[in-house]
Amino acid sequence: FAGLADVSISEDIPVEGEITIPVGSRSPDEDFSTLDEPVRDTIMRDLKAVGKKFVHVMYPKKSSALLRDWDLWGPLVLCVSLALMLQGGSADSKDDGGPQFAEVFVIIWFGAVVITLNSKLLGGTISFFQSLCVLGYCVLPLTVAMLVCRLVLLAGSGTISFIIRLIVVVAMFGWSTLASTAFLADSQPPNRKALVVYPIFLFYFVISWMILTFTPQ
Amino acid sequence: QLLGGQRQPRSFWTFEYYQSFFDVDTQQVLERIKGSVMPLPGKNFVRHHLRNNPDLYGPFWICATLALAVALSGNLSHLVEKRTSPTYHYSPQIHNVTIAATLIFCYVGLVPLALWGFLRWRRSPGSPPGPYSFLETVCAYGYSLSAYVPSAVLWLVPVSWLQWLVLAVAALLSAAVLAITFWPPARADSWATALAVVATVVSLHTLLAIGCKVPMGGALGGSVSPPHDPHPIFPSPH
């Protein structure tokens, strides 16, 4: 080992420091660790987020809550409840034309995906799931219309009930379209807004058609 | 081959490839729809309106709208016609939309494919560069269906001769635009080919119109019952 005797650590390379891992202040994540909280808190937080978005849909202002913190719980709940309410209508014979549960589901989700693809292809800056989130949440007015229609149909199914249902469905259809346009149109280039709004109009028109033509057995 | 500053051909698997088919503005779409129902002898739809920028937005959404319009107007006219009949029970017949959509999308997909293939095949090597691209053919066909959308809505009026008149006018206008569009490349081949091509285009277009009207709407004066007649076991709704 004679050669090693010449090796020495140069004086100007500092060899100092701590070997221990600093256990300093707790990282910020640990303060928000959601693993220890009660289950009720977790569920309530998500429910409150969904509820807040419902309020945003009913009173569409320029707020980014729907876009920034998108979730798909609300659309799922709305879709399932709408599909359930559309059951039990002239469904005794299988090919009598009323929408089945799976048909409503497929129409809503497939329609939302097609509209999202359309707006992205036209050059929109919104992300895929944000757009699905907005379209799903804006089904809320139509779900309310379905509820009202079912209540009206309990009272009778003559011409007056039809006129009431027509007015309610048309109003809610307009509300849905306006709400989703308010959220989605900003992310499009300005000379293509109508191209994006038209498929949304068609989508809610189909859903409104299904609601209006619901006839209980 | 120089592309003259146009967009680069992108790979089939990227999203931008498909975005290049949606590169239209609202104004352009409206212009193209107007151009597809006004047959002016000098103005070839593909050269004049598309100008090397074919899009898929128009054909896709016009076909979807047409499928909806045909199914809905058929459903409604059936209702209007049969409302007083005691055995009639209203049903929205949502699956008619699927049938209509399949028919229309197949028409806009397969007929341009056949036409484009035929024109490609018949193009002699010395002729000026080429007939239209496949996308332009699909685009021309898709936009030409826009004439059928208002006629589908007008078929709600339960007056038989008016329905046939509306059908004839719509079919004539849009078939004329198609004929003007496809005359030049077919003419480059020979008179006989040109006449055959134009005759086929016009007759298929008219057949589609009739095919949309007859099963869905009240056919032939309302005496023929459509195949989806619900079986009369329900009492009349009060």
Side-chain angles (χ1 to χ4, degrees):
Chain A
F1 303 119
L4 282 181
D6 292 331
V7 175
S8 63
I9 297 173
S10 158
E11 291 299 319
D12 45 71
I13 299 177
V15 185
E16 59 186 44
E18 291 188 0
I19 318 179
T20 57
I21 300 169
V23 188
S25 58
R26 297 170 57 180
S27 59
D29 281 345
E30 296 202 36
D31 283 339
F32 298 123
S33 158
T34 57
L35 210 51
D36 292 332
E37 65 180 14
V39 173
R40 199 174 67 113
D41 280 357
T42 315
I43 296 182
M44 287 310 294
R45 186 174 47 239
D46 281 337
L47 279 181
K48 274 195 213 140
V50 170
K52 202 158 68 142
K53 291 204 191 68
F54 279 157
V55 170
H56 275 120
V57 169
M58 294 313 273
Y59 301 106
K61 300 188 301 264
K62 291 274 189 262
S63 97
S64 59
L66 245 144
L67 292 180
R68 204 179 42 217
D69 308 317
W70 61 267
D71 73 87
L72 291 178
W73 282 115
L76 181 68
V77 163
L78 287 173
C79 187
V80 168
S81 49
L82 188 62
L84 280 177
M85 284 197 277
L86 278 168
Q87 294 310 297
S90 51
D92 271 340
S93 70
K94 288 182 197 45
D95 58 354
D96 211 9
Q100 305 297 313
F101 184 90
E103 278 178 2
V104 177
F105 232 83
V106 163
I107 289 175
I108 291 184
W109 288 101
F110 186 65
V113 165
V114 167
I115 294 178
T116 308
L117 276 180
N118 176 66
S119 68
K120 284 193 77 67
L121 282 169
L122 280 170
T125 53
I126 203 172
S127 94
F128 183 75
F129 285 110
Q130 280 173 344
S131 174
L132 278 187
C133 168
V134 168
L135 287 168
Y137 270 102
C138 290
V139 173
L140 176 66
L142 286 170
T143 311
V144 168
M146 182 73 221
L147 199 59
V148 170
C149 280
R150 278 213 90 144
L151 292 175
V152 168
L153 279 169
L154 282 179
S157 57
T159 314
I160 304 222
S161 113
F162 177 72
I163 294 183
I164 298 179
R165 282 186 291 139
L166 182 67
I167 295 177
V168 167
V169 168
V170 166
M172 291 300 164
F173 160 64
W175 199 335
S176 280
T177 312
L178 284 174
S180 57
T181 308
F183 288 114
L184 287 180
D186 280 342
S187 60
Q188 298 299 319
N191 46 355
R192 296 186 183 180
K193 284 205 168 58
L195 295 184
V196 171
V197 168
Y198 175 68
I200 299 180
F201 169 86
L202 273 187
F203 175 61
Y204 289 126
F205 184 79
V206 170
I207 300 181
S208 316
W209 175 255
M210 285 198 296
I211 292 175
L212 189 59
T213 58
F214 173 76
T215 48
Q217 184 44 38
Chain B
Q1 194 176 26
L2 293 178
L3 289 176
Q6 286 178 353
R7 41 198 167 310
Q8 321 291 335
R10 292 194 176 83
S11 156
F12 183 69
W13 298 107
T14 64
F15 191 67
E16 282 79 23
Y17 177 78
Y18 298 102
Q19 239 175 350
S20 62
F21 300 145
F22 280 76
D23 196 15
V24 276
D25 296 336
T26 312
Q27 208 48 43
Q28 280 178 309
V29 171
L30 290 175
E31 291 283 316
R32 290 175 185 192
I33 294 180
K34 272 194 289 204
S36 72
V37 291
M38 292 193 304
L40 300 168
K43 302 225 171 126
N44 183 331
F45 181 76
V46 170
R47 292 284 167 246
H48 188 73
H49 287 275
L50 292 189
R51 291 182 201 260
N52 287 335
N53 188 19
D55 72 295
L56 279 181
Y57 177 90
F60 182 79
W61 287 109
I62 291 178
C63 291
T65 313
L66 182 63
L68 267 180
V70 164
L72 288 186
S73 101
N75 193 246
L76 278 179
S77 61
H78 196 211
L79 166 73
V80 160
E81 187 188 308
K82 288 265 164 77
R83 197 163 36 150
T84 50
S85 153
T87 57
Y88 178 70
H89 180 79
Y90 175 71
S91 63
Q93 299 283 358
I94 305 245
H95 53 265
N96 275 356
V97 179
T98 324
I99 301 174
T102 314
L103 175 71
I104 291 169
F105 277 100
C106 278
Y107 176 78
V108 173
L110 297 178
V111 174
L113 183 66
L115 187 61
W116 171 77
F118 178 75
L119 287 176
R120 267 269 130 118
W121 172 53
R122 297 288 296 196
R123 178 170 63 117
S124 53
S127 67
Y132 314 121
S133 73
F134 175 58
L135 207 58
E136 287 170 337
T137 321
V138 167
C139 200
Y141 262 85
Y143 275 104
S144 72
L145 287 184
S146 64
Y148 289 161
V149 172
S151 54
V153 173
L154 284 175
W155 287 338
L156 282 174
V157 178
V159 179
S160 180
W161 61 264
L162 186 68
Q163 291 174 342
W164 286 106
L165 180 67
V166 163
L167 186 151
V169 166
L172 212 65
L173 280 179
S174 51
V177 172
L178 281 179
I180 295 176
T181 307
F182 291 107
W183 179 260
R187 172 74 188 83
D189 192 350
S190 72
W191 266 98
T193 319
L195 279 177
V197 163
V198 168
T200 318
V201 160
V202 170
S203 49
L204 279 177
H205 208 65
T206 320
L207 266 178
L208 179 78
I210 299 180
C212 286
K213 186 183 178 317
V214 165
M216 305 293 182
L220 303 172
S223 53
V224 179
S225 54
H228 296 293
D229 214 14
H231 37 84
I233 56 175
F234 299 115
S236 66
H238 31 260

